[in-house]
Amino acid sequence: MYRVFEALDELVAIIEEARGIPPTRNCIVPRGEVLELLDDVREALPGELDDAQDVLDHRDKIVTDARTGADTTVRTANEQAHHTVTSARDEADRILADAKAHADRMVAEARAHAENLVSAAESEAEQVVADGNREYETVTGRARSEADRLAAAGQASYDRSVSDGKAEQERLVSQTEVVRAAHTESARLIDGAQADSDRLRQECDEYVDGKLADFEETLSSTLRIVGRGRHQVRSGTSVPDYAAEFRR
């Protein structure tokens, strides 16, 4: 192929250097040299063409081999991908089955634990209510006894004051000024006794009201604890401690 390019270059050089024929664009070239160069080109072309054909044939073989190799690679990749997908699907089914079994077991354990918590909460609530009732009876009994005692003391003080007033009134009844003073003193003593009785009754009422308020706070705290325990049992967030409120 190199000889063909060399002969063509020499032909170009001969034509460029040839003497022109005015006024035309024709020129005079050495016939012998041109024919010799053309013979060289003719002789060189068949070998070069064979070489080019060999290159083309080799290229077709390479392309065919590459296409065959690509088809084999694609088929092998498809088979391997199918095997991988099948294995992955089987493994996923196994993992899903294991997860479902584990979830069922956890649900059963959680349900059993929740039932135990509810039973314990109900027992604790019943115990708290019973304790509250006993405390209520004790507090109201003490308050009733204290109220009766205060009322009796007030009534005794009132009766004593009235008796003292009447005695003083009878002693001073013969004297006008003394009688008026006695009336005034008697009224004062009676008013004082009545005020003492009212004060004692008010203190008794306040004492009873305070005890009842304490018991109401105890019952309210108990109801809040039970309600919080039921909410925790339903939501499953944690194990409630019902006695924590009473340990404070």
Side-chain angles (χ1 to χ4, degrees):
M1 196 67 181
Y2 175 76
R3 177 54 187 161
V4 173
F5 292 143
E6 185 181 18
L8 291 175
D9 291 337
E10 292 179 2
L11 285 173
V12 172
I14 291 173
I15 294 173
E16 288 179 350
E17 294 175 358
R19 186 174 57 184
I21 302 175
T24 66
R25 301 189 59 179
N26 297 328
C27 62
I28 299 173
V29 296
R31 179 181 300 174
E33 294 181 9
V34 171
L35 292 176
E36 183 179 354
L37 290 173
L38 290 176
D39 290 337
D40 292 340
V41 170
R42 184 182 297 108
E43 292 176 357
L45 280 177
E48 299 296 337
L49 290 177
D50 290 338
D51 294 339
Q53 186 63 43
D54 291 339
V55 171
L56 291 177
D57 294 340
H58 185 62
R59 184 199 63 180
D60 294 338
K61 182 178 181 302
I62 292 174
V63 170
T64 302
D65 293 342
R67 184 176 292 107
T68 303
D71 293 339
T72 302
T73 302
V74 170
R75 183 171 59 257
T76 303
N78 289 332
E79 293 175 355
Q80 185 176 2
H82 178 72
H83 176 71
T84 302
V85 170
T86 303
S87 300
R89 186 177 293 108
D90 294 338
E91 182 67 16
D93 293 339
R94 186 186 63 79
I95 293 173
L96 181 61
D98 293 341
K100 186 177 183 303
H102 182 66
D104 293 338
R105 185 170 61 255
M106 291 182 64
V107 169
E109 293 176 355
R111 184 177 292 108
H113 183 62
E115 291 175 355
N116 292 333
L117 289 177
V118 170
S119 178
E122 290 177 351
S123 300
E124 186 70 19
E126 292 175 357
Q127 182 64 34
V128 170
V129 171
D131 294 341
N133 289 332
R134 285 194 297 271
E135 182 68 19
Y136 171 75
E137 295 296 336
T138 302
V139 171
T140 55
R142 287 200 301 267
R144 191 177 295 108
S145 298
E146 185 67 16
D148 293 340
R149 187 185 66 78
L150 292 175
Q155 187 65 39
S157 178
Y158 173 75
D159 293 340
R160 186 170 57 253
S161 297
V162 171
S163 178
D164 292 342
K166 287 182 178 180
E168 185 68 18
Q169 183 181 14
E170 291 175 356
R171 188 179 64 81
L172 299 174
V173 71
S174 60
Q175 301 176 4
T176 304
E177 294 295 333
V178 174
V179 169
R180 283 200 295 270
H183 279 295
T184 302
E185 182 65 18
S186 177
R188 187 185 66 77
L189 292 174
I190 292 172
D191 291 340
Q194 185 67 40
D196 290 339
S197 178
D198 292 339
R199 180 178 57 77
L200 291 174
R201 288 182 181 276
Q202 183 178 3
E203 291 177 355
C204 178
D205 292 339
E206 291 176 353
Y207 176 79
V208 173
D209 182 68
K211 292 298 182 180
L212 291 177
D214 292 339
F215 180 68
E216 181 182 8
E217 178 63 24
T218 300
L219 288 180
S220 298
S221 178
T222 301
L223 291 176
R224 286 195 303 271
I225 293 171
V226 172
R228 184 166 59 251
R230 292 183 61 194
H231 174 71
Q232 291 176 349
V233 168
R234 287 195 301 270
S235 61
T237 55
S238 63
V239 178
D241 186 4
Y242 300 98
E245 188 70 21
F246 297 98
R247 293 198 294 268
R248 296 181 180 175

